[in-house]
Amino acid sequence: MSAELGFLSLLLALGCALLQSYAAFTKTPQGLALAVSASRAQAVAALASFLFLLASFAASDFSVTNVVANSHSTKPMFFKIAAGWGNHEGSMLLWAMILSLYGAFFAQFTGRKSVDGRFAIGVMGLLSAGVLAFIALASNPFWRQIPAATDGRGLNPLLQDIGLIIHPPMLYLGYVGFAVPFAMAMGALAKGTIDKEWAKRSRPWMLIAWGFLTWGIVLGSWWAYRELGWGGYWFWDPVENASLLPWLVGAALVHSTLVLERRGGFPGWTVLLAIITFSLSLIGTFIVRSGLLTSVHAFAVDPARGLAILIYLLVAIGSAMALFVWRAKSFEADIHFTPASREAMILVNNLVMSSAAAAIFLGTLYPLLIDAIGAAPLSVGAPFFAATAIPLFIIGMAAMGLAPLAIWRKGTLMQALGQSRFALGIALAGIALTIALKPGSLMGPLAVGAALWVGAGTVTYGVKQRKMRWTLDQWAMVLGHLGLAIAALGMASTALFSTEVSQAVKPGEIVQLGKVQARFDGITGVRGPNFTAERAQISLLGEDGKVSRTLYPERRFYPASGMPTTEAAIDSHFLGDLHVTVSALTEKEGEKTIVKGWAVRLFYRPLIGWIWVGAALTGLGSLIGGFGIGWRRRRQNQTNAAQPQGAS
Amino acid sequence: MRALLILMAALMLGAFVAPERPLGDPAQEARALNLFKELRCPTCIAQSIHDSNADIAGDLRVIVREQIAQGRTNEEIRNYLVARYGDVILLRPPVNGTTLPLWLGPWLIFLVGGGIVFVAMRRHRVKSD
């Protein structure tokens, strides 16, 4: 039953979405009230639809095609339910549900308060209607099959991980969240004017979306570190790049909106950034879900559906761009500022973020382009992105360390630098130390210097402002910038100072890596809930020769999918991680594969944990800013609304 | 030649994984590790042979280490692999006519954007008051 109820809820949500946008575009007061109610009903229906899908997965209803394809009776309950969104159809429904939720909250708290907001409610309804119609027509997760299957066909075992279970919802909260500033931008364009009020109303939504997107990316990277290969945390894989694009442009957007809010500057540019950010979010979804770019993430490849998504994408982006070209000319701002003012620093941020996004966009699509024109295939990988994006980021961070100390409008370089003496000293010391430790590298010392410069600059700002009562904006900035500095230091340190060793071993043999001594004690066979594994015991020896810790890396085999996976064992510390994997040395003799021995790989990655801690802090800062500012404004509005009543 | 034989043997036997041993000379081993990071694992999507645990990545690591031990330069090893797999083996695309837009595009945007910002800033200069 739950599959039918789920589909009915989906259709109901679609109806509500259409009603919502129709009512919002009619110019009557009743229309607005109806649109807000419809947005609420749509959210409830979409949520119900998603829960009905999860219920089918929880009950292992093998008459539902999607459950058969993506679940298995032997899976633990937690992973059964999570399989509901670990596939194409389910994840599209999750996407649509999140869009509906954003739509309802936006209509309630922001949309109904202004003319452009009202138009935005209509746009949110149209965006929802498009996705819901696509799901109902081309990507129905509730499809039944007769006869029912006896069991499911499992799920990629790599996906059975807590990091990957929270990763898609978090990422989608980010991607989809940018629909709100997109809709607000359309509202401003339709209205024909834009002002500081627009920025005040939109910025909390941007911060919320950007914070969730940051967390989503962090979770994905943490998952890759623990599950894929040998502990790389970022592969510059097309799908990873796709999530980085809205993150970069979104970072430009939250900053340019700040200038619009404070000084009324960059209105046209801000609206354009809002459109591009959501467009890139859509393209990110499209790239993952169409299989256009083959990648490790393309677990569901279906070009026909890709075409439907592409049409949706062209209509959404195309109409937004057309509206922009038609109306944005009226968005003129005449603001004045010096080359070392806060505004100028934010412009450097915008420039760097846009150029980096362009580099990643180009690098990701270039192999396809080359393929399309029939030239010899080529790869664009980590060395290209590192060579292009890292120098840009270093330039951006040079401005970032200075920005909080630069004053609005008429800051001078002397004034900002005068306050940055401490930061400058720390950064130069870091550069010198890195050169001493790792001679011959150019970008490495500069990256370390840039990270320290931003970190120390942010601390300087905090110390200078310590006697004030901080606004939420200040908290958001300090946490965000500090987190980024910590993450950048972790990345630079991992790139510069990682060490590794791989060695064929016999039981009792010791593998040495720097000061680390790891003894291979042997292999035992173990059985998990839905896999079998060969588990190695690795004893880490202290300086006295005694065992200080024991690690158990595994080689797992999931019969349901026929895939072997490497489970690393990680000994995490504040200053770095020891990452241990074991692999079998095999030889084929005729049809049989014979295990000839074992090899152990040790990696030491200094400060790698700082990457996730720092980036998570950045996301937290953004979320505190977004939710906090939004909440305060709501309370203010309530008191403002209450006062005249009390007076009368 | 031996490398080619190993590669052919690996391809024929499918799952054969030669035991990987680091090179005795730490400087040579460091060179090998850096080279691994530039070479794409042919059966993977975006992973280098340094990051991948696919069998073919292991075979290529053996070949690279052997050639380094034989005293070949990085350039010679790259050329050797490009001759067999094409440019697609290199994660850093070579700079040539077809890749010029890729290498220059981002910097062009940065410079043109910077130029526009600079000109706009001069036009909107703060009146000294």
Side-chain angles (χ1 to χ4, degrees):
Chain A
M1 257 319 264
S2 77
E4 283 72 23
L5 288 173
F7 188 65
L8 277 177
S9 308
L10 180 73
L11 294 181
L12 193 63
L14 173 58
C16 292
L18 289 170
L19 180 65
Q20 170 188 333
S21 66
Y22 171 76
F25 291 135
T26 60
K27 291 199 163 70
T28 60
Q30 299 93 317
L32 180 61
L34 182 60
V36 175
S37 305
S39 76
R40 242 175 266 167
Q42 184 208 330
V44 171
L47 185 64
S49 176
F50 185 66
L51 291 177
F52 280 124
L53 178 68
L54 296 191
S56 301
F57 271 89
S60 286
D61 183 347
F62 292 126
S63 66
V64 177
T65 309
N66 195 29
V67 179
V68 177
N70 300 295
S71 191
H72 195 273
S73 57
T74 60
K75 270 212 284 211
M77 177 52 85
F78 184 62
F79 292 119
K80 273 187 193 169
I81 296 177
W85 63 84
N87 62 82
H88 171 90
E89 291 85 352
S91 73
M92 288 315 291
L93 184 58
L94 174 68
W95 203 97
M97 181 202 81
I98 292 174
L99 183 60
S100 297
L101 289 178
Y102 267 115
F105 283 112
F106 168 73
Q108 175 66 26
F109 295 130
T110 308
R112 63 198 177 95
K113 305 232 159 73
S114 60
V115 181
D116 44 359
R118 181 174 179 166
F119 190 87
I121 295 177
V123 174
M124 290 296 281
L126 285 179
L127 288 172
S128 271
V131 179
L132 291 165
F134 164 70
I135 294 173
L137 293 172
S139 173
N140 185 353
F142 300 107
W143 207 251
R144 292 244 190 219
Q145 62 179 45
I146 298 168
T150 47
D151 206 336
R153 291 198 301 273
L155 179 80
N156 191 324
L158 287 175
L159 301 181
Q160 290 187 28
D161 179 85
I162 178 75
L164 204 67
I165 283 168
I166 333 171
H167 165 64
M170 201 64 84
L171 200 63
Y172 283 5
L173 279 171
Y175 276 166
V176 179
F178 283 114
V180 175
F182 173 84
M184 283 294 283
M186 302 278 267
L189 289 169
K191 188 179 153 200
T193 60
I194 190 167
D195 52 14
K196 294 181 180 177
E197 262 308 305
W198 182 93
K200 273 191 180 163
R201 283 195 300 268
S202 307
R203 205 161 58 86
W205 295 101
M206 299 170 185
L207 287 170
I208 289 169
W210 195 77
F212 279 130
L213 184 58
T214 309
W215 278 2
I217 294 173
V218 171
L219 280 169
S221 147
W222 184 62
W223 166 78
Y225 173 60
R226 291 175 307 117
E227 294 286 319
L228 288 185
W230 285 315
Y233 65 92
W234 194 263
F235 296 98
W236 299 99
D237 161 277
V239 173
E240 291 169 342
N241 294 349
S243 67
L244 204 54
L245 290 172
W247 188 85
L248 290 168
V249 183
L253 174 66
V254 292
H255 288 95
S256 79
T257 309
L258 189 66
V259 179
L260 180 58
E261 185 178 319
R262 297 289 154 82
R263 300 283 330 274
F266 317 154
W269 172 239
T270 300
V271 162
L272 183 63
L273 283 177
I275 294 172
I276 293 177
T277 308
F278 185 59
S279 303
L280 289 171
S281 299
L282 285 175
I283 292 172
T285 312
F286 169 65
I287 283 178
V288 181
R289 289 297 153 205
S290 69
L292 171 72
L293 294 179
T294 327
S295 93
V296 286
H297 292 64
F299 298 114
V301 176
D302 188 341
R305 269 185 196 145
L307 190 68
I309 301 179
L310 187 61
I311 291 169
Y312 175 75
L313 214 128
L314 287 176
V315 171
I317 302 174
S319 54
M321 285 296 183
L323 199 58
F324 178 80
V325 170
W326 179 37
R327 301 298 286 267
K329 280 187 213 95
S330 56
F331 292 179
E332 275 286 326
D334 191 29
I335 65 160
H336 301 275
F337 53 88
T338 57
S341 59
R342 184 81 63 89
E343 293 91 325
M345 299 293 164
I346 287 177
L347 272 180
V348 175
N349 151 303
N350 278 212
L351 193 57
V352 163
M353 292 299 183
S354 312
S355 311
I360 292 166
F361 191 78
L362 207 57
T364 308
L365 293 179
Y366 215 76
L368 287 180
L369 200 75
I370 289 293
D371 197 36
I373 62 167
L378 55 81
S379 306
V380 180
F384 167 81
F385 294 108
T388 313
I390 290 174
L392 282 169
F393 288 144
I394 289 174
I395 295 171
M397 287 169 82
M400 189 178 170
L402 220 47
L405 298 164
I407 50 180
W408 290 99
R409 201 165 81 86
K410 49 188 181 181
T412 64
L413 198 58
M414 281 301 122
Q415 169 259 326
L417 274 179
Q419 298 181 349
S420 310
R421 271 170 298 190
F422 166 72
L424 199 61
I426 298 265
L428 289 176
I431 292 176
L433 186 68
T434 315
I435 293 176
L437 288 172
K438 190 92 183 177
S441 162
L442 174 67
M443 278 305 149
L446 285 178
V448 172
L452 291 172
W453 166 248
V454 171
T458 313
V459 169
T460 306
Y461 174 83
V463 170
K464 212 182 95 188
Q465 301 280 330
R466 70 188 179 280
K467 300 232 171 85
M468 313 261 186
R469 207 181 125 77
W470 284 14
T471 62
L472 286 161
D473 266 321
Q474 283 174 302
W475 279 111
M477 187 280 285
V478 168
L479 290 178
H481 285 207
L482 208 55
L484 194 115
I486 292 170
L489 201 59
M491 289 175 204
S493 154
T494 303
L496 284 166
F497 302 118
S498 289
T499 49
E500 62 173 269
V501 63
S502 62
Q503 196 171 311
V505 285
K506 293 189 184 69
E509 219 172 305
I510 289 174
V511 183
Q512 183 111 20
L513 178 64
K515 281 187 185 157
V516 176
Q517 289 193 310
R519 192 181 65 211
F520 175 69
D521 294 330
I523 296 274
T524 45
V526 290
R527 191 171 281 279
N530 56 345
F531 61 86
T532 58
E534 288 142 346
R535 176 181 287 172
Q537 181 175 319
I538 309 274
S539 299
L540 301 181
L541 306 179
E543 278 172 24
D544 52 357
K546 288 201 182 113
V547 176
S548 63
R549 199 175 158 189
T550 315
L551 297 173
Y552 300 97
E554 291 177 9
R555 238 178 83 85
R556 284 189 187 168
F557 183 74
Y558 291 80
S561 71
M563 246 173 100
T565 67
T566 308
E567 286 289 307
I570 301 172
D571 187 27
S572 290
H573 292 279
F574 179 68
L575 287 177
D577 284 12
L578 183 72
H579 183 280
V580 184
T581 57
V582 64
S583 53
L585 303 172
T586 56
E587 242 175 71
K588 268 208 170 161
E589 283 180 12
E591 285 298 291
K592 277 195 286 188
T593 305
I594 292 169
V595 174
K596 288 278 178 178
W598 298 90
V600 168
R601 284 173 78 108
L602 296 182
F603 295 84
Y604 187 71
R605 298 194 171 92
L607 304 191
I608 192 163
W610 292 30
I611 298 173
W612 299 293
V613 172
L617 198 63
T618 297
L620 180 71
S622 190
L623 289 171
I624 286 178
F627 282 111
I629 296 166
W631 182 253
R632 277 218 180 138
R633 193 148 301 139
R634 193 167 159 258
R635 292 243 324 251
Q636 277 166 8
N637 287 344
Q638 280 168 346
T639 33
N640 289 350
Q643 267 162 2
Q645 273 178 357
S648 63
Chain B
M1 196 56 217
R2 223 188 111 207
L4 193 63
L5 280 177
I6 289 181
L7 183 64
M8 282 169 62
L11 290 175
M12 281 189 300
L13 294 174
F16 173 84
V17 179
E20 284 178 46
R21 284 175 208 288
L23 293 162
D25 178 0
Q28 284 192 338
E29 177 66 9
R31 243 183 79 200
L33 293 182
N34 281 330
L35 209 48
F36 292 166
K37 291 175 190 164
E38 290 180 22
L39 299 169
R40 174 175 165 172
C41 154
T43 55
C44 313
I45 299 307
Q47 287 182 323
S48 67
I49 63 169
H50 179 264
D51 290 325
S52 169
N53 52 0
D55 294 342
I56 180 82
D59 299 336
L60 286 172
R61 284 193 295 267
V62 171
I63 292 172
V64 170
R65 282 205 176 99
E66 272 190 357
Q67 299 211 346
I68 287 179
Q70 287 163 9
R72 298 228 193 159
T73 64
N74 286 3
E75 199 52 44
E76 284 168 343
I77 298 171
R78 269 189 221 112
N79 289 341
Y80 171 88
L81 290 168
V82 167
R84 265 144 202 87
Y85 290 94
D87 281 342
V88 78
I89 194 87
L90 303 174
L91 282 172
R92 182 202 303 270
V95 182
N96 58 33
T98 39
T99 61
L100 215 55
L102 174 69
W103 282 103
L104 291 185
W107 292 104
L108 215 60
I109 288 173
F110 183 75
L111 290 177
V112 170
I116 292 171
V117 166
F118 185 73
V119 169
M121 208 143 51
R122 292 208 61 139
R123 228 179 30 207
H124 292 255
R125 220 189 301 208
V126 178
K127 292 148 212 140
S128 47
D129 44 16

